[in-house]
Amino acid sequence: MPQHEHMERHRKLHGRRFDAEERERKREARLSHKRSEFAQKVHGLRAKLYNQKRFKEKATMRKTIAMHNERSNKHANDEAVADGAVPAYLLDREGVSRAKVLSNTVKQKRKEKAGKWEVPIPKVKPVADDEMFKVMRTGSKKNKAWKRVVTKCTFVGDNFTRKAPKYERFIRPTGLRMKRANVTHPELKTSFQLDILGVKKNPSSSLYTNLGVLTKGTIIEVNVSDLGLVTTSGKVAWGKMAQVTNNPELDGCVNAVLLV
Amino acid sequence: MPVYNFKTMAPVPSASDLVDIVLTRTQRKTPTVVHPGYKITRIRNFYMRKIKFTQQTISERLTAMLSDFPRLSDIHPFYSDLCNTLYDRDHYKLALGQINTARQLVDAVARDMIRMVKYGDSLYRCKCLKRAALGRMCTILKRQRASLSYLEEVRKHMSRLPALDPNTRTLLLCGLPNVGKSSFMNKITRANVDVQPYAFTTKSLFVGHTDYRYLRWQVIDTPGILDHPLEQRNTIEMQAITALAHLTCSVLYFMDVSEQCGFSIEQQCNLFRSISPLFANKQLVVVINKIDAQPYDTLESDKRDMIERLVKEGGPNTTMLQMSNVSEVGVSSVKNHACDKLLASRVDSRVSMKKTDSVMNRLQVFYPTARDGVVREAYVPESVLRERERAAAEGGEGKKTRKSRIGYAPTKDDDDDDDEGDETPAESGDEMMVGNGGGGAGDGGRRKKTARELMWENGGPGVWAPDYREQYDLLDPEWRFDAIPQILDGKNIADYFDPDIEEKLRMLEEEEDRLQAEYEAADMERTDGHDTRLDEMETAQVAEIRERVKIARAYKDRSGGRNRPALPREIRGRIKDCHDDDAKLKADAIERRLARVGVDASSMLERGRKREREGPREKRRQSRNARGDAEMEDASSGDYDEDGGVSMKVEGDERSKSKGAIKRQRKERVESARREQSMARSHSRPREPSQIGLKDESMAKVARMVEKKGQRKWFGGSGEGDHTKSVHLVKWCNTGKKRNGTHYSR
């Protein structure tokens, strides 16, 4: 009656075969050959996936090895005291590692280089009207063609009410209306799903801005009250600008970067 | 009542496996070909179907998982507590909850994305949306990696839990480590639990089964419990506690009086006290174990007092028994006692329950009052009584049973009791009756022994077998054991076993004669009508023909034979009949040969000759067609003779011609008419004048001329109605984009 650990039990009762260890060792030794054979044979998508997997494995392996290796790089070292006599004005200096300094200066430079009013996506492909709008034929004979349907995702405010059909030139389909955006905070390197407050600027056209069309590069205002960001004057900021970084109509969601 | 068997749960795939499963399934089960030229609704449907299918697959898999794993609130409290101990209830619930949430999220994603696809205006956009949708669903699955691997571990462990039924009759063994619980388990069941001389050999619950009073009893071996507060107990101990807390059972508390387990009797008593709340409402047996090492009687009195006080504290349901697994003293008595106690308590509880009332109310027991003072005893026949008396008198002597003389195993003292064989069978035969008649009389000592018992008394199977000759029914019972010879007076006695065998033989012979006569009479009648029998010469001929045919066939079948077609007989006849010197067979040779196999070749040769004369191939074919319905011709000749009168006249003239010529002519005419008609049926061609209503050939001629004249105008140039296709590459068929649609559609 096998209960619980039946493998162990079997081994305890009957032992293992005499060459079990040898077989295991051989299997282990053969593994690299097998892998190599497979890697050479495989092609297409499977090859891509396989190589990705192997790359990851190798990277982790390298990292672990590096971790266990003796460290050779220099670090901030508070205890390090310069040898010999030191003048008074140098006494409170800490021994700072060179690597750290270097990285800090590089970062500082990079920050300075970045312009103040620069947005993450400075140039976007303009969207033509015929791509943006689909003509909707109306009239009982379908011979009138003055209505347009927006084919891209849009933001429509909560209090929007459609006009009467006679005056409604642009239709924004409900299926393509977006309410929330996945906003990445570039410094915190984290993403939040935030409510969209409005479309500030669509770079392609002011008409699109008015319609609230969300395309790549559009500046939107998002509700950041949950993040608890504080303005320079000390008030809690609740609306902040963000730039759309993807094509929402292709991805089914709005991704944006917070402009800070 | 559900049976707690968790072995049926399906394996839980890991997150990456699940993603693979889902995506490959989508790829396999949904259409894979779509073109940008398709109608947009078709493209949208193509991609919506993919999204929907993926979502359904995921949700199916996750739902199966959720329904497979038992809900801890639904199962027996013992199992739910055990699961809590082993897997941590919170963790378990959280994992299942996350799976459930993931399912809902996947559903929501699919819903949103399908809504977006509905507004897709190009294949590219639909495809991007599909890609995004599948990606998001797979990401949700990937996030479940931890839960899925945890659930898989739980499933593996659960499937290996012993099949423990919480509601059946159960003996539960508990006590400190190393006091001999597992040894006792091995003694009374076949569970084969590992027994080792160190603590916590048993790390989980083990289940064995034993029989008592024709009932199956479940025995549960628990890991040892140490005496410390509940919070400090580890998982191993908690399993024992769980079992103690939730199972209605008979608890056997093991105590090691020899103190070999490393715990003093005082410590063991303390443990008993600390877990005594768990013994409430249970049948408790305190088992004093290892009395081989330290007999209970020689135990120091203060320790004995301690134990006895303990038993008293246990309450009325507590008893104490002594036992040793090594010397096996008291093992079965402990088991029987525990079982009896539990059985009694179970019966009690049944009776005390309301359920039994409905049955009890319907039961009534009557004690009939005596009608008069007459004593009415059971009637025992006189002979039986006599037999009993005799048997009682002989009883003291010790009956000697006969050895079998038949059967498969002769023994060495087989023939020494031959002489006394005559009386014992008779006696045993009578005894059988006694046994049958007075079986219930209560005289157990005088019960007749069965053949099986006798067999075991006399050495078991193979040594002794009953002698069936005792039961022979002969004229004189003394004959029963006589040896039966095979040959007597030079005759096989088996031939004379039947007294009226002569009579039967005679009857059989008579019947056979009668049947023979009948058959012959019937045969005569049958052959009287027409005699199919051949005389000797014909028989010989037939035989010869058959022989030749056989040879010919063998030649034909022979491998390595001629590698050319065997000519059909008609053609063969024709060709060979020509005046060709090279021909192997001349006409007469053919005739001779065919005559030898019994075929008249004259008509065949005639046919061949005729062919030769007719010459051209076409004619030959015509004549063959005509020959096909040579018989029909006479019957339906009227149909083909358009103008009967004329034909009659012609026929009259033809009499002067040679007979063969006439025949040929007529045949040709008929043939041409038939051919005409068949052609008319097979193609669309202008019919003959007779058939379009023209009077005769002359009129037809005129009509033809008129037709030609009419056509002359546009003869040479192609007309409007001409269905010609002179240009090989038609422009409108061959220009433009080839990808969109097919040739046919444009």
Side-chain angles (χ1 to χ4, degrees):
Chain A
M1 191 169 103
Q3 293 184 6
H4 312 304
E5 310 290 351
H6 43 264
M7 301 279 278
E8 284 75 2
R9 184 170 171 274
H10 184 270
R11 263 177 216 154
K12 207 180 267 179
L13 287 177
H14 307 288
R16 307 188 70 186
R17 48 187 295 172
F18 293 122
D19 57 348
E21 278 78 18
E22 182 70 359
R23 277 154 57 88
E24 259 171 29
R25 183 190 64 75
K26 280 189 173 171
R27 196 178 299 136
E28 181 84 5
R30 228 179 278 129
L31 186 64
S32 57
H33 293 276
K34 286 219 155 183
R35 267 191 192 149
S36 144
E37 198 187 4
F38 180 74
Q40 285 173 39
K41 190 189 69 182
V42 74
H43 59 87
L45 181 62
R46 279 174 87 210
K48 199 173 165 186
L49 292 172
Y50 179 75
N51 288 334
Q52 272 174 355
K53 205 182 99 204
R54 280 298 287 161
F55 178 77
K56 267 183 210 158
E57 281 173 10
K58 282 181 178 170
T60 41
M61 216 187 310
R62 268 199 302 274
K63 270 182 196 163
T64 7
I65 290 170
M67 221 150 55
H68 288 90
N69 274 347
E70 209 173 311
R71 304 182 76 165
S72 57
N73 58 346
K74 296 185 176 171
H75 295 278
N77 186 1
D78 295 345
E79 288 86 44
V81 180
D83 290 341
V86 179
Y89 57 88
L90 288 179
L91 265 179
D92 56 348
R93 283 205 177 175
E94 293 164 349
V96 180
S97 77
R98 212 154 17 101
K100 195 78 180 171
V101 170
L102 200 67
S103 74
N104 278 345
T105 49
V106 168
K107 274 182 194 164
Q108 197 63 35
K109 266 187 187 170
R110 232 183 255 160
K111 254 187 192 170
E112 282 165 12
K113 222 172 97 186
K116 204 184 176 189
W117 301 110
E118 205 169 309
V119 289
I121 304 171
K123 277 184 187 172
V124 289
K125 199 185 86 190
V127 187
D129 272 3
D130 56 347
E131 192 194 335
M132 180 68 77
F133 301 121
K134 200 175 74 184
V135 177
M136 187 186 220
R137 302 188 80 89
T138 49
S140 62
K141 297 280 188 292
K142 299 286 176 237
N143 53 356
K144 293 173 185 157
W146 57 271
K147 273 200 182 190
R148 299 285 180 272
V149 180
V150 180
T151 59
K152 307 277 178 194
C153 290
T154 50
F155 169 74
V156 179
D158 280 337
N159 49 3
F160 171 73
T161 320
R162 282 174 66 177
K163 285 178 196 135
K166 191 178 172 185
Y167 302 108
E168 188 181 39
R169 182 158 144 74
F170 296 106
I171 296 171
R172 295 175 284 187
T174 44
L176 293 176
R177 291 184 194 173
M178 292 289 178
K179 292 227 169 296
R180 294 161 82 77
N182 303 314
V183 182
T184 306
H185 195 292
E187 283 169 7
L188 301 176
K189 298 264 187 268
T190 43
S191 302
F192 311 93
Q193 197 165 46
L194 303 174
D195 287 338
I196 302 175
L197 293 174
V199 174
K200 285 293 140 193
K201 175 87 183 163
N202 189 314
S204 296
S205 152
S206 61
L207 172 66
Y208 300 165
T209 311
N210 291 340
L211 284 171
V213 176
L214 300 167
T215 53
K216 192 170 182 174
T218 308
I219 309 290
I220 53 175
E221 192 173 14
V222 290
N223 184 355
V224 289
S225 57
D226 294 343
L227 302 187
L229 296 179
V230 184
T231 57
T232 44
S233 58
K235 287 176 186 165
V236 173
W238 74 283
K240 253 187 174 310
M241 302 300 174
Q243 190 178 27
V244 176
T245 54
N246 70 334
N247 290 312
E249 77 279 1
L250 296 183
D251 292 351
C253 61
V254 182
N255 296 341
V257 191
L258 210 61
L259 303 177
V260 287
Chain B
M1 209 59 216
V3 175
Y4 288 101
N5 187 355
F6 303 117
K7 288 178 175 45
T8 52
M9 286 192 284
V12 180
S14 69
S16 58
D17 281 354
L18 191 55
V19 168
D20 282 354
I21 288 166
V22 167
L23 292 185
T24 44
R25 186 148 189 268
T26 309
Q27 178 70 7
R28 277 188 294 114
K29 301 260 175 150
T30 52
T32 50
V33 180
V34 70
H35 294 295
Y38 286 177
K39 209 186 259 179
I40 189 68
T41 48
R42 187 175 172 190
I43 295 170
R44 278 184 208 142
N45 282 339
F46 176 89
Y47 286 111
M48 279 198 281
R49 183 171 176 184
K50 290 222 170 216
I51 297 171
K52 192 71 191 156
F53 187 86
T54 313
Q55 177 253 323
Q56 273 172 350
T57 312
I58 292 173
S59 134
E60 233 167 62
R61 300 290 301 214
L62 297 184
T63 314
M65 236 173 261
L66 289 172
S67 56
D68 260 4
F69 280 89
R71 289 172 61 192
L72 291 187
S73 52
D74 288 352
I75 54 179
H76 191 276
F78 163 69
Y79 271 111
S80 94
D81 241 21
L82 191 65
C83 287
N84 183 22
T85 317
L86 292 170
Y87 319 125
D88 186 14
R89 188 202 311 268
D90 294 345
H91 199 164
Y92 183 84
K93 281 192 165 177
L94 217 61
L96 287 181
Q98 276 175 344
I99 298 290
N100 192 25
T101 318
R103 188 179 58 168
Q104 285 164 2
L105 285 176
V106 165
D107 290 356
V109 165
R111 201 176 48 236
D112 286 354
M113 298 308 270
I114 283 175
R115 202 176 55 201
M116 296 283 288
V117 173
K118 280 179 188 166
Y119 291 99
D121 53 0
S122 66
L123 182 130
Y124 177 68
R125 197 163 149 191
C126 293
K127 187 176 179 174
C128 281
L129 286 169
K130 179 219 71 172
R131 192 162 166 263
L134 296 201
R136 279 170 70 182
M137 288 191 237
C138 289
T139 311
I140 291 168
L141 284 189
K142 268 188 209 157
R143 295 230 180 90
Q144 301 307 314
R145 194 162 45 92
S147 314
L148 289 172
S149 60
Y150 166 78
L151 285 177
E152 171 64 3
E153 287 303 310
V154 168
R155 183 198 68 87
K156 275 196 223 157
H157 198 278
M158 273 179 124
S159 69
R160 283 170 207 176
L161 283 181
L164 195 152
D165 184 357
N167 298 309
T168 187
R169 297 164 291 273
T170 309
L171 305 185
L172 190 81
L173 319 178
C174 71
L176 280 157
N178 259 356
V179 291
K181 299 180 294 293
S182 297
S183 309
F184 179 71
M185 175 92 166
N186 284 345
K187 282 279 177 302
I188 64 167
T189 71
R190 299 182 62 193
N192 195 15
V193 183
D194 195 16
V195 176
Q196 296 292 341
Y198 49 78
F200 291 114
T201 313
T202 310
K203 289 199 268 310
S204 58
L205 300 178
F206 279 84
V207 171
H209 291 94
T210 186
D211 262 12
Y212 177 65
R213 288 232 207 144
Y214 305 107
L215 294 170
R216 208 160 79 140
W217 294 75
Q218 182 177 260
V219 185
I220 301 175
D221 185 19
T222 63
I225 312 169
L226 295 175
D227 185 17
H228 49 209
L230 192 65
E231 298 78 43
Q232 290 173 18
R233 292 193 198 281
N234 58 18
T235 313
I236 298 175
E237 289 171 283
M238 279 309 287
Q239 293 180 45
I241 298 292
T242 311
L244 267 177
H246 290 291
L247 298 179
T248 315
C249 57
S250 182
V251 178
L252 282 74
Y253 183 79
F254 278 73
M255 291 186 81
D256 180 7
V257 279
S258 69
E259 301 186 348
Q260 281 170 342
C261 61
F263 299 98
S264 68
I265 289 180
E266 194 182 353
Q267 280 172 313
Q268 297 180 33
C269 291
N270 286 340
L271 174 67
F272 183 91
R273 290 206 179 85
S274 62
I275 62 172
S276 57
L278 297 172
F279 298 146
N281 296 328
K282 289 194 178 71
Q283 304 304 313
L284 183 61
V285 181
V286 176
V287 180
I288 306 300
N289 198 9
K290 303 194 188 173
I291 53 166
D292 55 314
Q294 168 67 58
Y296 187 64
D297 304 332
T298 60
L299 196 66
E300 292 146 42
S301 60
D302 53 338
K303 286 180 181 172
R304 235 179 340 181
D305 283 349
M306 244 191 284
I307 293 171
E308 270 151 20
R309 241 183 296 133
L310 195 75
V311 174
K312 261 185 209 137
E313 281 169 25
N317 285 341
T318 314
T319 45
M320 188 188 75
L321 286 173
Q322 299 166 29
M323 191 197 79
S324 166
N325 284 321
V326 178
S327 58
E328 297 193 357
V329 173
V331 170
S332 63
S333 73
V334 166
K335 172 187 140 188
N336 296 351
H337 182 74
C339 292
D340 279 336
K341 276 181 86 170
L342 182 62
L343 205 59
S345 79
R346 279 172 77 96
V347 170
D348 279 353
S349 66
R350 284 271 163 79
V351 169
S352 64
M353 268 196 302
K354 294 278 183 209
K355 270 186 200 168
T356 50
D357 285 352
S358 59
V359 181
M360 297 295 254
N361 289 341
R362 278 182 265 165
L363 285 180
Q364 272 185 311
V365 181
F366 291 102
Y367 295 98
T369 50
R371 178 173 51 176
D372 47 23
V374 180
V375 178
R376 294 183 179 83
E377 283 184 338
Y379 169 70
V380 181
E382 198 72 5
S383 61
V384 174
L385 287 175
R386 239 185 299 125
E387 194 56 43
R388 273 193 200 164
E389 273 167 28
R390 201 167 61 109
E394 283 174 3
E397 296 168 15
K399 205 178 74 184
K400 186 175 184 190
T401 49
R402 275 172 55 83
K403 285 268 178 198
S404 167
R405 283 192 198 79
I406 60 163
Y408 37 81
T411 48
K412 62 184 175 198
D413 50 354
D414 219 9
D415 39 5
D416 57 354
D417 48 1
D418 267 1
D419 37 358
E420 59 189 0
D422 294 349
E423 51 217 323
T424 31
E427 168 195 290
S428 62
D430 288 345
E431 239 183 22
M432 196 187 293
M433 287 203 308
V434 174
N436 292 342
D443 44 359
R446 290 198 46 245
R447 197 175 55 82
K448 185 183 183 311
K449 281 179 180 165
T450 61
R452 185 177 295 274
E453 283 165 343
L454 285 172
M455 179 183 78
W456 284 112
E457 274 175 15
N458 292 298
V463 181
W464 189 89
D467 194 348
Y468 293 110
R469 286 178 301 178
E470 286 170 5
Q471 294 160 25
Y472 285 179
D473 183 20
L474 299 181
L475 277 180
D476 186 352
E478 285 186 3
W479 295 347
R480 286 181 301 172
F481 297 96
D482 288 349
I484 301 169
Q486 197 179 0
I487 306 289
L488 190 68
D489 298 337
K491 286 170 182 162
N492 192 344
I493 63 159
D495 294 341
Y496 296 94
F497 76 101
D498 195 354
D500 11 299
I501 190 152
E502 291 289 347
E503 179 63 21
K504 280 181 181 167
L505 181 66
R506 196 182 53 75
M507 281 170 69
L508 266 179
E509 278 172 350
E510 269 178 15
E511 193 185 351
E512 199 181 336
D513 284 344
R514 188 168 45 78
L515 285 174
Q516 182 78 21
E518 272 176 19
Y519 176 73
E520 273 173 7
D523 206 26
M524 289 296 282
E525 262 177 36
R526 201 168 55 238
T527 52
D528 272 348
H530 45 90
D531 194 2
T532 52
R533 271 185 271 185
L534 308 171
D535 59 7
E536 280 177 15
M537 221 173 113
E538 284 167 332
T539 321
Q541 275 173 342
V542 166
E544 200 191 0
I545 288 168
R546 284 193 180 146
E547 183 69 14
R548 277 172 189 285
V549 167
K550 209 193 279 175
I551 289 168
R553 200 169 286 154
Y555 258 91
K556 210 179 102 212
D557 294 346
R558 195 180 51 177
S559 63
R562 52 182 187 178
N563 186 18
R564 59 194 151 88
L567 288 172
R569 214 190 288 152
E570 44 186 12
I571 298 173
R572 195 164 55 200
R574 195 180 65 229
I575 292 171
K576 298 308 174 199
D577 196 29
C578 67
H579 303 286
D580 184 2
D581 290 336
D582 296 338
K584 277 181 193 162
L585 288 180
K586 298 285 189 313
D588 51 346
I590 290 167
E591 196 168 12
R592 214 167 44 240
R593 285 191 164 206
L594 284 175
R596 255 198 315 216
V597 293
V599 176
D600 183 17
S602 56
S603 63
M604 188 187 82
L605 288 171
E606 177 56 33
R607 225 162 38 228
R609 285 193 190 108
K610 213 191 301 173
R611 291 267 172 74
E612 206 56 38
R613 280 195 299 273
E614 279 166 1
R617 193 169 161 272
E618 217 166 281
K619 272 190 180 172
R620 230 183 287 146
R621 202 182 60 200
Q622 285 175 11
S623 67
R624 190 159 66 233
N625 287 345
R627 199 181 58 245
D629 19 34
E631 290 85 12
M632 230 172 81
E633 180 197 335
D634 293 329
S636 57
S637 58
D639 295 342
Y640 303 121
D641 292 355
E642 303 89 45
D643 34 5
V646 176
S647 89
M648 285 307 285
K649 197 188 78 207
V650 168
E651 204 154 322
D653 289 346
E654 275 169 359
R655 289 228 172 92
S656 56
K657 290 181 189 172
S658 78
K659 208 176 171 186
I662 295 166
K663 248 186 177 173
R664 225 177 301 141
Q665 212 172 355
R666 195 169 61 189
K667 206 171 276 173
E668 267 172 25
R669 207 175 53 232
V670 169
E671 182 53 35
S672 71
R674 273 174 56 76
R675 215 171 128 65
E676 210 68 66
Q677 204 176 33
S678 75
M679 287 291 277
R681 277 181 199 140
S682 62
H683 303 282
S684 89
R685 72 198 274 277
R687 287 181 296 173
E688 281 301 301
S690 64
Q691 285 158 328
I692 45 175
L694 293 174
K695 195 181 162 198
D696 54 4
E697 189 57 30
S698 60
M699 248 180 127
K701 216 173 181 179
V702 173
R704 235 175 281 139
M705 288 220 358
V706 171
E707 194 187 2
K708 259 188 185 169
K709 219 186 259 176
Q711 284 176 340
R712 201 170 291 162
K713 284 187 260 180
W714 46 274
F715 236 58
S718 56
E720 199 179 11
D722 282 357
H723 192 267
T724 54
K725 205 169 94 177
S726 53
V727 189
H728 290 297
L729 280 169
V730 183
K731 190 164 187 190
W732 61 268
C733 278
N734 291 288
T735 51
K737 284 183 196 166
K738 279 278 173 58
R739 288 230 186 93
N740 299 348
T742 60
H743 280 296
Y744 302 106
S745 68
R746 286 188 286 119

